[in-house]
Amino acid sequence: MKTHTTLLILVSSLLITFSLFGCVEDTSIGEKPTGTYQSYNPGFGHDRGYDSEGEMNNANNVNNANNVTQAPEDPQREIEEADILKIEGNTLFALSAYRGLVVLDLSTQDQIGVLGRHPIFGQPFEMYIRDGMAYVMFSSFWVYDWNDDLGYGTWNSTSRLVVLNVSDPANISEVASYDLAGEVSDSRLVGDIIYMVASENGYCWHCSDEPRTTVTSVNTSDLNDIHMVDQVSFDMGGYWWRMPIHVTQNRIYVAGMDWETDVSNIQIVDISDPSGVMEIGAGFSLAGRVESRWQMSEYNGVFRTISQRGWNSQPPVVQTFAVAQSNVLLPLGNLTMTLPQPEDLRSVRFDGDRAYAVTFQQVDPLFVIDLADPANPRQRGEL
């Protein structure tokens, strides 16, 4: 276990290092923000997900939340998250755009060996490993589309789910595939159904003529008949980039940015039917931006989120909603966080009745290194 943990930490550290190179953000200092938790009288208007009727309606929402019966957990519908790294026993599966799928043996410490490889022709997104099969998703998979009427073909980019038999890592073979129009944004495996969220910009291959977000349910119970069960679509306010999701056995919460108002819109999709049939639920707006799946959580009938307001290091906002019948959310409370200095929200984790949030400034330093003497490099200055 120590070897596995160390390896994952090293790989994760490398990925985090790459992700830290970003744009310079405004870190100007403003007044110290203050905030108190408000359970019945949120301080935002109706366009931020609150009812403009005020305190009485919010008090009623608390009572309504207590009357909602939550469906019991179904052990046959276990929720699994995809990743570019997966460990099964003493075997590590790793996805790379340059090395493809690499299978490593971790059974002997300090002697990690390669069990097998499989080439990948596309940009790998994430994968699931189950029962000797790897369900690999691609965000950009190039296919050659021949047109008989025109007499020529064209290369087109699409998203794709590819199922690989990895039971014998030395002889990995493709079992099935499924093409998904647009850019895959996130996914979950719930029971035997893979729910894939994709964004279409109106110009992609086999996409809608108008920008939209789709949620597609794919049945994987029979490898000889992997097929789409259902697909729902909705408008996320013109936003078509990657959208984080939070998933329970009954609901998918899809978060998309609204660039005009600088907030995130949340769309609920009902996935309570284990066959994969879905229904569109309610949509609502938050106080700020949701940029990762970790910023959302549903727990004991309450949807919780921490979002980032504005682009000038405004304090994040905590919001809670009661999950009522018909997948409607009723606002409960909100909290504007108090920070020691203006900073931006970077990471969130929910754990039972607690949430942990990390904020910090993002500053891109410039260092001047003197290499006139190659044997004695010296740092001369910094900005």
Side-chain angles (χ1 to χ4, degrees), residues 175-200:
V175 176
S177 65
Y178 175 81
D179 285 339
L180 179 68
E183 192 82 2
V184 61
S185 182
D186 210 338
S187 74
R188 291 294 188 280
L189 177 59
V190 185
D192 292 322
I193 306 295
I194 295 182
Y195 296 92
M196 294 188 290
V197 179
S199 57
E200 301 181 4

Side-chain angles (χ1 to χ4, degrees), residues 240-280:
W240 54 271
W241 198 240
R242 184 169 182 176
M243 293 161 289
I245 64 175
H246 176 70
V247 179
T248 72
Q249 290 187 350
N250 298 307
R251 282 167 288 277
I252 297 178
Y253 298 89
V254 184
M257 266 289 297
D258 186 331
W259 296 106
E260 294 182 359
T261 59
D262 194 26
V263 302
S264 281
N265 297 319
I266 305 294
Q267 175 64 57
I268 299 178
V269 178
D270 188 325
I271 61 168
S272 57
D273 189 333
S275 71
V277 176
M278 300 174 289
E279 292 184 6
I280 296 291

Side-chain angles (χ1 to χ4, degrees), residues 146-153:
W146 179 263
N147 190 313
D148 288 331
D149 295 333
L150 298 178
Y152 63 86

Side-chain angles (χ1 to χ4, degrees), residues 133-345:
M133 297 292 168
Y135 299 83
V136 184
M137 290 168 289
F138 297 87
S139 58
S140 295
F141 194 98
W142 289 94
V143 296
Y144 190 72
D145 188 18
W146 179 263
N147 190 313
D148 288 331
D149 295 333
L150 298 178
Y152 63 86
T154 57
W155 285 98
N156 297 281
S157 176
T158 184
S159 295
R160 173 172 287 194
L161 170 66
V162 176
V163 184
L164 301 175
N165 187 335
V166 294
S167 57
D168 180 6
N171 297 284
I172 300 176
S173 60
E174 182 175 325
V175 176
S177 65
Y178 175 81
D179 285 339
L180 179 68
E183 192 82 2
V184 61
S185 182
D186 210 338
S187 74
R188 291 294 188 280
L189 177 59
V190 185
D192 292 322
I193 306 295
I194 295 182
Y195 296 92
M196 294 188 290
V197 179
S199 57
E200 301 181 4
N201 60 9
Y203 300 98
C204 48
W205 187 55
H206 287 180
C207 289
S208 168
D209 293 335
E210 298 294 332
R212 66 174 186 170
T213 298
T214 63
V215 181
T216 305
S217 58
V218 178
N219 191 316
T220 65
S221 60
D222 183 358
L223 293 177
N224 295 317
D225 184 28
I226 290 182
H227 62 278
M228 182 186 76
V229 177
D230 197 6
Q231 184 179 82
V232 296
S233 63
F234 42 86
D235 180 14
M236 292 298 283
Y239 184 74
W240 54 271
W241 198 240
R242 184 169 182 176
M243 293 161 289
I245 64 175
H246 176 70
V247 179
T248 72
Q249 290 187 350
N250 298 307
R251 282 167 288 277
I252 297 178
Y253 298 89
V254 184
M257 266 289 297
D258 186 331
W259 296 106
E260 294 182 359
T261 59
D262 194 26
V263 302
S264 281
N265 297 319
I266 305 294
Q267 175 64 57
I268 299 178
V269 178
D270 188 325
I271 61 168
S272 57
D273 189 333
S275 71
V277 176
M278 300 174 289
E279 292 184 6
I280 296 291
F284 60 100
S285 296
L286 298 178
R289 302 188 307 276
V290 170
E291 301 179 67
S292 74
R293 65 179 67 168
W294 314 115
Q295 292 174 246
M296 300 179 286
S297 170
E298 182 187 315
Y299 180 73
N300 284 346
V302 176
F303 177 73
R304 302 91 56 87
T305 180
I306 303 180
S307 61
Q308 173 64 51
R309 295 189 304 165
W311 297 94
N312 288 321
S313 300
Q314 298 181 45
V317 177
V318 182
Q319 293 174 273
T320 58
F321 302 84
V323 183
Q325 295 176 353
S326 301
N327 292 311
V328 174
L329 295 190
L330 307 174
L332 291 179
N334 79 98
L335 163 72
T336 298
M337 293 176 58
T338 300
L339 305 181
Q341 62 182 14
E343 294 180 337
D344 289 334
L345 183 67

